[in-house]
Amino acid sequence: MSTMRSKVIRVWEVLDAKETAHSAYERVLARPTSLEVAKNTICLLLWLETIADVHILEDVSAMEVGGITLSRLVMEADALHNYLFHGQEALPEPLVGGIPAIKELCSSGRLVDFRFFKFHRDLVAHGLAVIRDTIAEVIFSDHLHTMLRQFEDEVHSLAPVMTSVPAPELTAPFVAIARTPPEDSRTAFVAFWEGHPLSTQDIINYFERLLGFRRCIKRVETEQPCAGQTPKHAVIVFLSAELREQVMFNETVVYYRINGYDMWVQVYKPPL
């Protein structure tokens, strides 16, 4: 009996799929920017593309090199990246006023703000680490991108001398040595209307009793905001990815109305 085998992904396929990310990386470097800051910025924006329904990196690759927008974005992204991994008690100066450039780029103020990253800090850090340990190595390789462009030029030349064959580095299998924790594939982000948070029990009762999904939720965690604020963010971890899909009616984003208040829920799709 034959068995199904998963498709082998080649390095050149990752290069091709992430060409826009490399273009954005080159644009950030052209500011000029140090290699580490540029990598931090692109890794964060790559992760954001997994939760924002916009082509963030495409916008960045078209930004004016000497423009204020790109400069502000790089400062915010690098400071946020460092906060997520090293989080000092005192916020870095670029984050004191929030992350307006990142919010504008994502067009998702409902979900993406500094409080989102503060609350989901561990989850975001996991995702960034996976990106840095896997596809980032390919995205940031000028050598690999140069080889791919040369091969594409040969293929598209009018009079090729011989059949072009990509370099072994390009046809090598892409092996991801790191993965996002399995629980992240059962996770959904939650955002409340400002001033109208819902309790953990409200959320569980709504899905498991009112909607009739029975026991489908492993846990709900709600933001503990600063004095004078009400919770704006929460996270739901379902018992399985399949149950999450059922509860979300196979949609990526769903608005639910609970006790007269709206709750915005979006599935999390880990990078790998």
Side-chain angles (χ1 to χ4, degrees):
M1 181 184 296
S2 61
T3 58
M4 295 292 291
R5 294 183 178 180
S6 57
K7 180 181 181 296
V8 176
I9 299 175
R10 305 294 174 179
V11 169
W12 73 264
E13 293 177 293
V14 178
L15 286 167
D16 189 53
K18 300 301 181 183
E19 179 61 34
T20 303
H22 187 73
S23 296
Y25 175 59
E26 291 180 323
R27 182 57 56 102
V28 171
L29 283 176
R31 290 184 54 240
T33 309
S34 72
L35 286 173
E36 192 61 25
V37 170
K39 289 176 180 180
N40 289 349
T41 299
I42 298 304
C43 284
L44 181 69
L45 298 182
L46 271 168
W47 186 87
L48 278 170
E49 281 205 338
T50 70
I51 66 165
D53 190 23
V54 288
H55 300 293
I56 298 173
L57 292 160
E58 185 176 312
D59 293 341
V60 174
S61 65
M63 286 182 179
E64 184 181 346
V65 170
I68 296 176
T69 301
L70 182 59
S71 295
R72 177 68 197 182
L73 176 65
V74 171
M75 285 191 295
E76 288 180 10
D78 181 55
L80 188 53
H81 185 283
N82 290 330
Y83 168 80
L84 289 166
F85 284 98
H86 311 296
Q88 314 88 339
E89 287 298 321
L91 289 180
E93 188 280 328
L95 300 182
V96 172
I99 50 173
I102 292 176
K103 286 180 63 175
E104 179 65 26
L105 187 66
C106 293
S107 301
S108 183
R110 188 84 181 104
L111 182 67
V112 178
D113 56 15
F114 178 69
R115 285 172 59 178
F116 169 86
F117 288 102
K118 185 178 180 181
F119 176 64
H120 294 292
R121 182 172 165 183
D122 289 344
L123 183 149
V124 181
H126 288 158
L128 290 176
V130 169
I131 289 173
R132 195 64 178 261
D133 292 342
T134 54
I135 57 177
E137 183 178 351
V138 174
I139 291 170
F140 300 142
S141 173
D142 291 330
H143 174 62
L144 289 174
H145 280 273
T146 297
M147 284 196 298
L148 180 61
R149 288 168 185 153
Q150 290 174 342
F151 171 66
E152 291 174 339
D153 289 343
E154 291 174 7
V155 169
H156 293 99
S157 62
L158 295 176
V161 176
M162 57 183 292
T163 302
S164 297
V165 177
E169 294 95 326
L170 298 178
T171 57
F174 171 74
V175 180
I177 59 174
R179 294 279 177 178
T180 308
E183 182 174 279
D184 289 3
S185 296
R186 298 185 273 119
T187 294
F189 299 119
V190 177
F192 306 118
W193 288 106
E194 200 75 38
H196 299 295
L198 294 160
S199 71
T200 293
Q201 202 56 52
D202 286 336
I203 295 171
I204 292 175
N205 287 343
Y206 179 77
F207 287 121
E208 297 188 346
R209 296 182 182 179
L210 186 60
L211 293 187
F213 286 105
R214 298 185 180 179
R215 187 163 186 268
C216 61
I217 294 174
K218 180 179 180 180
R219 71 176 185 276
V220 177
E221 297 177 10
T222 304
E223 176 189 24
Q224 299 298 315
C226 298
Q229 297 177 327
T230 59
K232 181 181 178 184
H233 298 285
V235 64
I236 302 174
V237 178
F238 292 91
L239 291 173
S240 70
E242 292 73 23
L243 282 170
R244 185 186 69 172
E245 297 304 311
Q246 291 177 30
V247 171
M248 295 288 291
F249 306 104
N250 295 314
E251 298 288 343
T252 301
V253 180
V254 179
Y255 280 95
Y256 300 93
R257 192 160 183 81
I258 305 175
N259 298 338
Y261 299 126
D262 287 333
M263 181 178 74
W264 189 89
V265 182
Q266 179 173 324
V267 301
Y268 174 42
K269 297 180 180 179
L272 285 172

